[in-house]
Amino acid sequence: MGVILNEEAVARTYAHQSVADTYDVVEQYRAAMRYPDDASSTHIARELEIPRGRVRPWLDGAKPDAVRAIEIATAKNWFSNDWTQETQALAVLCAGVFACGSIEKQGYRPTWTPETAQGRTQLETALENVGVGVRVETEDRTRELWPGTHGSILGRCLMVAGAPTGNKTATTVTSLPQWLDDAPAQLRETIAELFVRERAIAFEDKATRRIQSARPPSYYRALAALIEDVTDESVTYSESGITISADAVRALGLA
């Protein structure tokens, strides 16, 4: 299991018409591929106790979607057990979904619409570092960031990592991913900065900032704890949002 996601959970984001657990199909495919090249689909299917019609396309070069997704994620180092450049970039993209992005419920394609130039740079760099590149779409002066390739696979992985899908509401966004607790200090600070930069309301007459939206207290509590921990300054929360003290904002380099 990697620091952010694992292949079993990614496989289970796919559906299979005749198998309840899609990861079973992944294991069946791998077992079938271990047979000699001259083994027949009938022989393999009989020994694995699976339908021959499932095996035959595999021997002709077809792959289950879940297998293809796992292979791509593995090649890009997304399942690493360490906090590598790739897994840290995945973490930033996952946090970015909370802060200024979304993942389609159908199709799992993620997008980000950062309002600040710094936030845009952070997310573009993260997309490059996970190995998918960036596609930028502009509409009515709004710059929307999309993965250049493998968007659906990346979106599924971000969902497994804890990012919400569909509309973000008080019932779909209730806390932050657990892996944040064990993330490196610099990564935690980067993510806290991204949240404050993209979500917080700035005031003209003071450095204090405020985050408020349709979220439950559990979410505000988790986010306030993150910002307070990385800044070592006062951050308070209530049922209506988070107040980030001027000292905390300065500690993040945002004032």
Side-chain angles (χ1 to χ4, degrees), residues 4-228:
I4 287 187
L5 49 89
N6 62 80
E7 66 174 32
E8 292 92 338
V10 171
R12 289 168 183 144
T13 67
Y14 292 87
H16 193 282
Q17 59 183 0
S18 57
V19 178
D21 186 346
T22 311
Y23 193 66
D24 288 344
V25 177
V26 173
E27 294 184 312
Q28 291 166 7
Y29 173 84
R30 289 171 173 170
M33 292 300 100
R34 287 194 288 268
Y35 279 82
D37 291 342
D38 59 353
S40 69
S41 58
T42 301
H43 173 72
I44 295 173
R46 184 186 304 117
E47 289 207 345
L48 296 181
E49 298 182 339
I50 59 178
R52 177 172 175 263
R54 189 179 304 165
V55 176
R56 188 168 54 247
W58 298 347
L59 299 186
D60 292 335
K63 291 182 182 180
D65 290 339
V67 170
R68 192 177 304 278
I70 288 171
E71 289 181 351
I72 289 171
T74 299
K76 295 185 180 301
N77 204 31
W78 296 353
F79 295 127
S80 175
N81 292 318
D82 299 312
W83 285 105
T84 63
Q85 174 176 273
E86 294 85 0
T87 54
Q88 292 197 47
L90 278 175
V92 171
L93 293 174
C94 183
V97 173
F98 284 88
C100 58
S102 64
I103 300 175
E104 295 175 347
K105 212 167 183 62
Q106 299 292 328
Y108 297 97
R109 294 185 304 169
T111 59
W112 296 265
T113 312
E115 294 186 0
T116 68
Q118 297 91 335
R120 184 163 56 250
T121 297
Q122 280 183 305
L123 292 167
E124 288 178 347
T125 299
L127 284 165
E128 294 289 355
N129 286 344
V130 297
V132 299
V134 187
R135 177 165 60 88
V136 180
E137 293 189 3
T138 303
E139 183 176 349
D140 296 331
R141 297 185 179 180
T142 299
R143 289 170 59 89
E144 196 170 49
L145 307 181
W146 294 73
T149 59
H150 306 305
S152 177
I153 294 173
L154 176 62
R156 290 170 188 270
C157 289
L158 294 177
M159 181 183 71
V160 169
T165 59
N167 294 329
K168 293 182 290 186
T169 68
T171 56
T172 62
V173 183
T174 58
S175 191
L176 296 176
Q178 290 186 346
W179 49 257
L180 258 174
D181 294 339
D182 300 317
Q186 183 58 53
L187 176 59
R188 285 168 56 81
E189 183 175 345
T190 296
I191 288 173
E193 179 187 333
L194 180 63
F195 270 106
V196 175
R197 192 186 296 281
E198 291 298 325
R199 295 301 305 169
I201 300 168
F203 301 96
E204 291 185 1
D205 58 343
K206 55 184 177 180
T208 302
R209 296 199 186 186
R210 174 85 176 162
I211 295 177
Q212 55 189 44
S213 54
R215 303 288 185 269
S218 58
Y219 172 79
Y220 291 137
R221 179 172 60 250
L223 183 53
L226 170 66
I227 300 169
E228 187 170 72

